Amino acid sequence: MASQALNVLISDKVLAYVREAATSRYGLEQIHFIPFSGQPLDEQTLAQLDIAFVSRDITGRSTKFVLEPATAIFYQMLEQAPRLQWVHVHSAGVDRPVYVSLRDKGLSVTSSTGALSAIVAQSALAAVLALNRRFRFLEQAQREHKWAPLLDELMPADLHGQHVMLAGWGPIAQTIQRYLDMLGMQVTVLRNSAIDRAAIGATNGATDSATNSTPNGAGNSPTNVPMIPYSAMHQLLPQTEWLILACPLTETTRQLVDRQALAAIKPGACIVNVSRGEVIEEAALIDALSTGHIAGAYLDVVEKEPLVVDSPLWDMPNVMVSPHTAGHSSGNEARVADIFLENLNNWVHGLPLRNLSR
């Protein structure tokens, strides 16, 4: 148990909620919260930081490649704080260079895996329905005041019975699988072969201590879903009609969907990416979309964000692009803060941190 006050760097936007909950929910009295309002801390205060909470408002519209000024200041302070021990991040992924650097230096870095699971999964489900029901085509027809029923070659195929290859098996992917099961789609999961099959029944996110339930409706994962390692992906691609990417970015998943994989997938397949842009070889995907070998794609992420203005993806009639926003929802701020608070209590009492990045 911590015997002295901990100094926590936190956004002034979420400070009031976190401070009140830390006291009323967990009885954490010995926490000194240092608010961040977009300006650098003085050297003396910076030297006292123990913990930092990177909430959504701090990253704002920054991407992995382009930082807003306030985000850059905050990241620089993380790198420079000599006593900093633990950083909690609002996102499920912690592959931004600053987080990798901090982890490599020995700091604890935790994510908010579980907080956004249902929201991202809902976006993936919406994408499947929109691509299948040809919403892009119907939207364009409406703009042109054209009555264009989905007949003949435009007739959508039944989703029931179609084969989905789902990359990843964290809380997001598990929620997506349940939604697809509701539609009668047949799912095969791609996951790391090093993960023990005996652990399939457990979710990657811990239960929510406040509600004694799995975060955001993640629920218990089914044990009867076919699963194969990433190395076996190409064996099933010729039978794959949907490729849904909800995996973390690792050395295994980087460029997982390369030109060879795209060539092997069943003609007319669709791709949904709510993972990371680097999981797909983007130039090869553009080529496959242009020829129609890939019938359509929903891309919430791209190789380099923001997407360059002259990318062909913007104007492709069979592509939906969203600006890394599949997980955005009004309830996220509280859910993320609650995970941070749970971990703060764990830190104070010497308990294991939830969602610790390794």
Side-chain angles (χ1 to χ4, degrees):
M1 179 181 295
S3 58
Q4 61 183 26
L6 291 170
N7 295 302
V8 179
L9 180 62
I10 187 170
S11 159
D12 55 5
K13 184 175 186 293
V14 300
L15 173 57
Y17 177 87
V18 170
R19 174 184 281 154
E20 191 280 330
T23 303
S24 64
R25 194 182 305 171
Y26 293 104
L28 299 177
E29 304 286 353
Q30 289 185 302
I31 306 294
H32 178 218
F33 292 104
I34 300 172
F36 174 71
S37 57
Q39 298 302 316
L41 299 177
D42 62 79
E43 189 172 335
Q44 182 178 358
T45 305
L46 185 64
Q48 297 173 350
L49 294 182
D50 300 296
I51 297 168
F53 176 24
V54 187
S55 50
R56 171 78 250 185
D57 58 292
I58 288 173
T59 57
R61 288 178 171 80
S62 297
T63 72
K64 186 188 297 187
F65 306 97
V66 180
L67 300 180
E68 292 186 325
T71 309
I73 290 171
F74 196 93
Y75 283 178
Q76 187 175 35
M77 290 193 297
L78 298 182
E79 294 274 19
Q80 294 175 346
R83 210 170 82 178
L84 190 65
Q85 301 174 65
W86 164 42
V87 175
H88 184 81
V89 183
H90 65 83
S91 59
V94 288
D95 50 52
R96 288 196 178 192
V98 63
Y99 308 141
V100 174
S101 172
L102 293 172
R103 192 177 61 229
D104 289 347
K105 290 196 298 185
L107 276 72
S108 297
V109 178
T110 53
S111 74
S112 296
T113 296
L116 319 180
S117 302
I119 307 304
V120 178
Q122 288 162 18
S123 294
L125 174 63
V128 169
L129 295 174
L131 288 168
N132 174 254
R133 303 306 304 174
R134 305 189 189 279
F135 280 4
R136 284 298 309 274
F137 169 83
L138 294 172
E139 179 189 27
Q140 184 59 37
Q142 180 178 343
R143 290 179 184 276
E144 297 174 0
H145 298 195
K146 183 188 299 182
W147 193 258
L150 299 179
L151 297 173
D152 303 321
E153 73 278 359
L154 294 174
M155 183 79 73
D158 287 356
L159 287 173
H160 190 281
Q162 290 197 33
H163 180 243
V164 181
M165 188 175 290
L166 175 61
W169 194 237
I172 292 172
Q174 291 176 28
T175 308
I176 292 173
Q177 185 276 329
R178 285 196 302 280
Y179 290 165
L180 300 179
D181 185 63
M182 174 185 68
L183 298 176
M185 303 181 81
Q186 304 302 308
V187 177
T188 299
V189 171
L190 283 174
R191 65 187 311 215
N192 194 328
S193 60
I195 297 176
D196 188 352
R197 285 288 298 250
I200 290 173
T203 61
N204 285 357
T207 58
D208 188 310
S209 61
T211 63
N212 198 32
S213 63
T214 307
N216 220 13
N220 291 325
S221 60
T223 57
N224 59 346
V225 180
M227 298 193 181
I228 61 173
Y230 287 109
S231 58
M233 177 180 75
H234 284 255
Q235 298 174 18
L236 288 185
L237 282 175
Q239 293 88 48
T240 296
E241 289 147 315
W242 293 86
L243 178 57
I244 301 181
L245 304 168
C247 52
L249 179 64
T250 66
E251 288 310 305
T252 299
T253 61
R254 188 181 298 275
Q255 299 275 290
L256 176 72
V257 186
D258 57 12
R259 193 171 295 274
Q260 183 181 4
L262 289 166
I265 201 168
K266 185 174 182 177
C270 290
I271 292 177
V272 173
N273 191 4
V274 291
S275 170
R276 289 292 185 265
E278 298 97 317
V279 173
I280 299 178
E281 184 181 345
E282 195 165 287
L285 176 61
I286 291 172
D287 289 345
L289 286 162
S290 299
T291 63
H293 180 69
I294 298 297
Y298 167 72
L299 306 174
D300 185 56
V301 288
V302 292
E303 274 187 343
K304 186 172 182 180
E305 298 173 8
L307 184 63
V308 294
V309 295
D310 59 349
S311 170
L313 292 170
W314 288 116
D315 299 312
M316 287 184 158
N318 53 348
V319 175
M320 296 183 293
V321 175
S322 61
H324 206 146
T325 196
H328 290 194
S329 193
S330 60
N332 288 352
E333 184 175 289
R335 285 189 292 269
V336 167
D338 287 345
I339 293 177
F340 169 69
L341 284 159
E342 179 186 335
N343 266 342
L344 182 61
N345 184 62
N346 290 348
W347 182 272
V348 168
H349 293 92
L351 301 173
L353 293 175
R354 172 178 166 185
N355 298 337
L356 180 63
S357 175
R358 304 186 186 281

